[in-house]
């Protein structure tokens, strides 16, 4: 064989060797990531049931100090949380030392301060578990039990971006009124034999109060994020206009995602993938009301999208509002870890996991069976949407490694 031919042959073999090595390394990395996702899933399932216990072992810190230390830019609580039961027990039982009207918003809530100085947001029960909210997906009052269910779904999906929530019963006459501010106290009234209040908010009306069963009111309490982590509000790029006859751009522009990818903070960093994760989360719970979202301030897109205010969900188990998934089917990208977790939850696993996670909550049963069944059915729609994307663009283009920079998308 002539020298020139040998050189060409060696060059070809070298190229084949390099491509083979890169391919094998890439597949080994992918396999390792998949195995770690599986281990994370099994760890989550093993620690799913949270029993509310009164004692914190092996620490002199208060429940509030531990919860505050958990918060970092990319998660509200860590993967392993042995103290979670004690923190939630404190949220559900600690003495209320002050009660005030809620922070700004459209829905009724109260701001409570618990013994030890911890702020929590109390959302009162408005509907029985089997009540179906008819009309638009964002119709009706906030659902307190939806906040509880959404928190546990956040745990199950492995996002860890929702503040801690637990159910609680409060006696309005003995626990709230004696420590209420004048502004809150002025909204109390009696309807029949029931103590009620209507608070201060955009839609709060004296004619539409929330009423206790006698004096005892069921509700949810959401742990206030530490003040050292101030929040920044953002307009959701896939938000609705809420104006009759006026469509948002994403509702008619098929290339809208391309425009979003060129806009900060979605042109790089994790924020666009957070939007996709949130679309999946909101679709599963039936929440079509996330027209804004919060992150931590001055984060330059590095902070997580925090899953706050999830109470406009679990209103109608028959709801199949596919437009909630618009970020997913328009961008056709999703985190590998999210995809792996969703696949691990099919075949009834999600329903079973959610039911198990909420079993020890003080207001259990948190969801009715039709709502649990609906979550399982919606999961199938999410998986089908991702499959349509992979069929069209291929797995490599759709499944994005969590730490991959997004400027190339």
């Amino acid at each position: 064989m002539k020298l020139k031919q040998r050189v060409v042959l060696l060059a070809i073999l070298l190229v084949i060797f390099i491509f083979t090595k890169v391919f094998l390394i890439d597949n080994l990395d992918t396999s390792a990531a998949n195995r770690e996702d599986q281990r994370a899933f099994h760890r989550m399932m093993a620690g799913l049931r949270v029993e509310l216990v009164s004692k914190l072992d092996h620490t002199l810190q208060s429940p509030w100090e531990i919860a505050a230390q958990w918060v970092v830019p990319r998660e509200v609580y860590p993967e392993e949380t042995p103290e979670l039961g004690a923190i939630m027990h404190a949220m559900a039982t600690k003495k209320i030392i002050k009660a005030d009207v809620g922070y700004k918003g459209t829905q009724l809530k109260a701001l409570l301060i618990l013994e030890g100085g911890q702020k929590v947001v109390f959302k009162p029960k408005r509907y029985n578990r089997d009540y179906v909210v008819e009309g638009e997906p964002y119709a009706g009052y906030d659902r307190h039990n939806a906040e509880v269910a959404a928190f546990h779904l956040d745990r199950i999906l492995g996002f860890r971006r929702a503040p801690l929530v637990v159910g609680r019963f409060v006696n309005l006459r003995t626990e709230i009124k004696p420590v209420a501010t004048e502004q809150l106290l002025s909204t109390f009234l009696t309807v029949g034999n029931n103590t009620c209040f209507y608070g201060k908010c955009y839609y709060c009306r004296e004619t539409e109060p929330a009423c206790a069963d006698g004096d005892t009111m069921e509700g949810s309490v959401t742990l206030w994020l530490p003040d050292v982590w101030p929040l920044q509000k953002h307009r959701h790029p896939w938000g609705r206009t809420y104006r009759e006859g006026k469509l948002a751009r994403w509702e008619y522009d098929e290339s809208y995602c391309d425009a979003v990818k060129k806009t900060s903070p979605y042109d790089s960093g994790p924020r666009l993938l957070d939007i996709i994760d949130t679309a999946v989360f909101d679709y599963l719970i039936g929440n079509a009301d996330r027209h804004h979202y919060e992150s931590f301030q001055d984060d330059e897109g590095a902070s997580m999208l925090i899953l706050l205010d999830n109470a406009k969900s679990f209103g109608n188990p028959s709801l199949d509002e596919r437009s909630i998934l618009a970020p997913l089917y328009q961008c056709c990208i999703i985190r590998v870890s999210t995809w792996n977790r969703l696949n691990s939850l099919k075949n009834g696993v999600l329903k079973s996991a959610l039911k198990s996670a909420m079993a020890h909550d003080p207001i259990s049963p948190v969801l009715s069976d039709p709502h649990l069944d609906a979550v399982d059915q919606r999961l199938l729609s999410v998986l089908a949407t991702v499959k349509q994307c992979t069929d069209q663009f291929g797995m490599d283009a759709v499944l994005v490694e969590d730490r991959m920079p997004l400027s190339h998308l």
Side-chain angles (χ1 to χ4, degrees), residues 235 239-251:
R235 177 74 186 176
R240 299 173 184 272
T241 65
Y242 291 90
R243 297 175 191 168
E244 189 174 351
K246 183 173 176 59
L247 297 177
R249 180 177 168 183
W250 64 267
E251 294 180 277

Side-chain angles (χ1 to χ4, degrees), residues 35 139 164 189 197 212 250 256 270 315 375:
R35 286 196 297 272
L164 276 58
L189 64 157
F197 76 103
W250 64 267
Y256 176 70
V375 174

Side-chain angles (χ1 to χ4, degrees), residues 51-89:
E51 294 192 36
L52 275 61
V53 294
S54 59
K55 190 176 179 182
L56 273 169
D57 295 325
H58 313 302
T59 181
L60 297 177
Q61 291 181 300
S62 73
W64 317 137
E65 290 171 327
I66 293 172
Q69 290 173 1
W70 280 350
V71 181
V72 293
R74 290 298 305 169
E75 62 183 21
V76 176
Y77 53 93
E79 180 183 8
E80 297 185 19
T81 53
E83 305 92 349
L84 183 59
I87 295 169
M88 296 178 75
H89 180 271

Side-chain angles (χ1 to χ4, degrees), residues 3-230:
L3 180 60
K4 187 177 180 179
Q5 291 174 318
R6 290 176 181 173
V7 171
V8 172
L9 181 60
L10 285 171
I12 293 171
L13 291 173
L14 182 62
V15 170
I16 292 172
F17 172 76
I18 292 171
F19 272 105
T20 302
K21 188 171 182 180
V22 169
F23 176 78
L24 288 173
I25 290 173
D26 184 61
N27 275 275
L28 285 172
D29 287 346
T30 302
S31 298
N34 289 342
R35 286 196 297 272
E36 176 52 35
D37 286 343
Q38 278 298 311
R39 286 193 290 268
F41 173 72
H42 291 305
R43 287 194 298 269
M44 179 278 296
M45 292 294 285
L48 196 57
R49 293 173 72 92
V50 180
E51 294 192 36
L52 275 61
V53 294
S54 59
K55 190 176 179 182
L56 273 169
D57 295 325
H58 313 302
T59 181
L60 297 177
Q61 291 181 300
S62 73
W64 317 137
E65 290 171 327
I66 293 172
Q69 290 173 1
W70 280 350
V71 181
V72 293
R74 290 298 305 169
E75 62 183 21
V76 176
Y77 53 93
E79 180 183 8
E80 297 185 19
T81 53
E83 305 92 349
L84 183 59
I87 295 169
M88 296 178 75
H89 180 271
M91 292 168 63
T93 61
K94 283 285 187 182
K95 183 179 179 180
I96 300 166
I97 60 175
K98 185 178 179 181
D100 200 355
V101 295
Y103 57 93
K104 292 179 181 179
T106 62
Q107 299 288 314
L108 173 60
K109 61 184 78 69
L111 179 62
L112 308 181
I113 299 180
L114 305 182
E115 187 176 18
Q118 178 63 52
K119 296 178 186 176
V120 296
V121 176
F122 178 79
K123 294 191 177 182
K125 177 183 177 181
R126 288 287 205 165
Y127 303 111
N128 292 323
R129 296 294 190 271
D130 56 355
Y131 185 88
V132 175
V133 180
E134 302 287 357
E136 298 289 345
Y138 41 83
Y141 302 117
D142 273 1
R143 276 75 79 178
H144 72 295
N145 57 316
E147 290 282 12
V148 176
F151 164 66
H152 288 288
L153 179 63
D154 176 68
R155 293 176 58 220
I156 292 166
L157 294 175
F159 293 164
R160 302 191 291 279
R161 299 171 209 154
L164 276 58
V165 185
V166 69
R168 177 165 180 161
F169 290 94
V170 297
N171 188 300
L172 295 182
R173 182 175 58 85
T174 62
E175 292 185 90
I176 300 295
K177 293 182 75 173
V179 296
T181 63
E182 183 58 38
Q183 194 174 21
L184 177 62
L185 201 57
S186 66
T187 72
F188 273 77
L189 64 157
T190 301
V191 178
N193 295 320
N194 302 318
T195 303
C196 311
F197 76 103
Y198 57 91
K200 300 279 186 182
C201 69
Y202 187 81
Y203 290 125
C204 288
R205 304 283 186 272
E206 185 175 355
T207 54
E208 300 179 33
C211 292
D213 182 4
D215 292 321
T216 303
M217 175 172 277
E218 178 183 319
S220 66
V221 287
T222 302
L223 197 70
W224 195 271
L225 290 170
D227 292 335
V228 296
W229 294 98

